[in-house]
Amino acid sequence: MKHPLIATLLMAAMTTGAAVAVAKPDKSGDLPPGLQKKVDRGGELPPGWKKKLQKGHRLDDSIYSHAVIVQPVDRHGLVTVRIEGELVRLVHATHEIVDILSHR
């Protein structure tokens, strides 16, 4: 009788552990609240954001929200923005980076 009980408890523990291991926090790409407040007050974006500027990659919404439009959306759906001195051309609808026009 001990063996079926142990098997049941073991199965329950494995099932519960698997559910916890599979669950991951939602990462929407937004800045953490403290950094967002800093940027809202005129501070700079975190130093690592420039490493994310690569052709073919999608620009995070949190970084795009700090961009200044230099050339509005053209007939191809492309927009050129300036983000802290960097000029980036991207697909307006998806924020996919098409070209990086300047590097500091």
Side-chain angles (χ1 to χ4, degrees):
M1 291 198 133
K2 290 182 181 179
H3 295 292
L5 179 60
I6 292 173
T8 304
L9 290 174
L10 183 59
M11 185 62 88
M14 289 183 351
T15 306
T16 304
V20 173
V22 173
K24 293 183 180 179
D26 178 31
K27 293 192 177 193
S28 60
D30 292 335
L31 294 174
L35 285 176
Q36 187 63 49
K37 285 181 186 178
K38 178 182 175 183
V39 171
D40 290 344
R41 292 180 181 151
E44 293 185 8
L45 290 169
W49 73 270
K50 287 185 184 181
K51 293 177 185 175
K52 297 180 180 182
L53 292 181
Q54 295 180 11
K55 282 174 79 169
H57 285 86
R58 186 180 175 280
L59 189 67
D60 289 342
D61 292 338
S62 59
I63 296 172
Y64 181 79
S65 68
H66 295 91
V68 175
I69 296 175
V70 176
Q71 290 181 343
V73 181
D74 64 13
R75 61 188 174 98
H76 302 289
L78 301 178
V79 62
T80 303
V81 297
R82 181 183 315 273
I83 310 167
E84 292 188 12
E86 297 288 333
L87 284 176
V88 181
R89 182 174 297 136
L90 44 93
V91 178
H92 183 260
T94 63
H95 298 168
E96 179 184 344
I97 298 173
V98 175
D99 202 4
I100 301 169
L101 305 171
S102 65
H103 283 290
R104 279 188 177 175

